[in-house]
Amino acid sequence: LVLAEKLKTQTGMYDVGGSEYREKKRETISQLIGIYQNLRAAVGNTYNNELGYWMIQYAGFVHEPSEYIDLVSQAASLPSYDGLAELGRMYEYKSVLDSSLDEKARKCYREAIELMEEVDSNCFASKRLEMLPDFSCEYSSTPIYYRILSEDERTVAICNKNLMIHNAPQGNFEMPSYVKHNGVQYSVVAIDDEAFYHDRLLTRVSIPESIRSIGNDAFSGTQINEMICFSDVNTEDIRVEPIELQEEKGSQLPANI
């Protein structure tokens, strides 16, 4: 364990040193994996989270997708917090081709949370689980995703389906002030970060009075040319085009937004 602590300190120093120390960092992480594998063999699952963490760190150095997937799967099967959290993230990305993987992602995040330690300041799994939708409602044959903010207050936010799939209504979108799910009516009070990100077919949106907050880049990358807002929420900072396009074209928000 004393050696492990020294090696951990070295990895931090290599980060400060920059890219030229990348290979040395990889070798040090490999040593740490070896130490925690030996500890696991000797004392059982006590150090699963540490082993999983360094396996995921090492995965960042591999180039072959199959090798990366294998490392993540091994770290998750220990089980370890970082392994399960990364496997959940991987399932979210792959769900573009297979929507059934969304539920697998949820399962990974739930299992990761059970292993989460107090020292973990990232809490990626709990944040992702919180941001995933609880239900969807059709709008002109297009699903709009919602997550429940409060069952007591019966409020929801418009959210993304997952890390890869955003809401994609076409043309004019009259955002509802309330939606119904399982016979319960919920007030729509928020729009999450990137909720309509890169919806190139969205040209007009009406924001109801019920909306209290709009997340970062909620409409970034859309083709909106008109936004009608009945809410008191500040719309001055809403960005329609990605930053790089704004800089390239010197574009501004349409005057009627």
Side-chain angles (χ1 to χ4, degrees):
L1 287 175
V2 173
L3 176 58
E5 291 304 314
K6 289 182 178 180
L7 293 175
K8 290 178 186 179
T9 301
Q10 285 183 13
T11 61
M13 293 174 65
Y14 293 147
D15 284 336
V16 175
S19 58
E20 61 185 288
Y21 290 94
R22 179 176 171 80
E23 181 58 26
K24 288 185 178 181
K25 181 179 178 180
R26 185 192 67 80
E27 293 173 357
T28 304
I29 291 175
S30 180
Q31 288 180 267
L32 281 163
I33 290 173
I35 289 172
Y36 283 113
Q37 284 176 333
N38 290 335
L39 284 169
R40 186 169 186 265
V43 298
N45 298 333
T46 305
Y47 296 98
N48 277 2
N49 273 353
E50 287 83 354
L51 176 56
Y53 172 80
W54 291 110
M55 290 177 74
I56 296 302
Q57 292 298 304
Y58 190 86
F61 290 87
V62 303
H63 300 291
E64 290 295 328
S66 58
E67 186 180 354
Y68 179 85
I69 292 171
D70 185 54
L71 277 167
V72 172
S73 299
Q74 287 182 46
S77 66
L78 291 172
S80 70
Y81 171 82
D82 286 281
L84 286 163
E86 183 62 16
L87 186 61
R89 188 175 75 95
M90 197 166 67
Y91 280 143
E92 281 201 72
Y93 282 122
K94 293 174 69 175
S95 68
V96 173
L97 302 176
D98 183 358
S99 60
S100 68
L101 295 178
D102 278 332
E103 190 52 43
K104 286 189 175 183
R106 287 179 188 270
K107 184 174 183 292
C108 285
Y109 293 144
R110 291 191 190 103
E111 292 177 1
I113 290 170
E114 293 178 2
L115 300 172
M116 189 168 62
E117 300 177 353
E118 292 182 6
V119 295
D120 177 37
S121 59
N122 184 26
C123 304
F124 175 80
S126 56
K127 289 177 182 177
R128 284 306 308 149
L129 194 59
E130 178 186 341
M131 299 304 290
L132 290 173
D134 294 297
F135 63 91
S136 66
C137 294
E138 294 286 316
Y139 180 87
S140 299
S141 300
T142 300
I144 303 298
Y145 301 98
Y146 300 89
R147 63 183 181 93
I148 297 172
L149 299 177
S150 171
E151 285 286 8
D152 292 335
E153 297 180 3
R154 295 186 177 180
T155 55
V156 295
I158 296 179
C159 64
N160 298 304
K161 183 180 182 185
N162 52 45
L163 285 168
M164 292 295 290
I165 300 177
H166 311 280
N167 297 284
Q170 301 180 15
N172 177 30
F173 176 52
E174 294 187 7
M175 195 175 297
S177 58
Y178 68 88
V179 290
K180 285 186 177 182
H181 176 62
N182 289 340
V184 179
Q185 180 170 298
Y186 294 91
S187 179
V188 182
V189 300
I191 306 170
D192 278 354
D193 294 352
E194 301 184 356
F196 298 91
Y197 182 73
H198 223 268
D199 180 6
R200 306 299 285 179
L201 298 179
L202 180 61
T203 56
R204 183 179 183 274
V205 66
S206 176
I207 298 176
E209 186 178 1
S210 61
I211 295 295
R212 304 172 193 165
S213 66
I214 299 177
N216 295 326
D217 294 325
F219 298 98
S220 182
T222 65
Q223 294 289 336
I224 292 176
N225 53 46
E226 184 177 6
M227 180 179 289
I228 301 174
C229 186
F230 297 97
S231 168
D232 292 333
V233 70
N234 182 14
T235 60
E236 292 182 2
D237 297 327
I238 294 178
R239 188 168 68 243
V240 172
E241 291 187 323
I243 294 175
E244 61 270 18
L245 290 181
Q246 291 185 20
E247 292 176 346
E248 179 181 332
K249 297 163 59 177
S251 61
Q252 301 292 328
L253 286 176
N256 55 351
I257 292 186

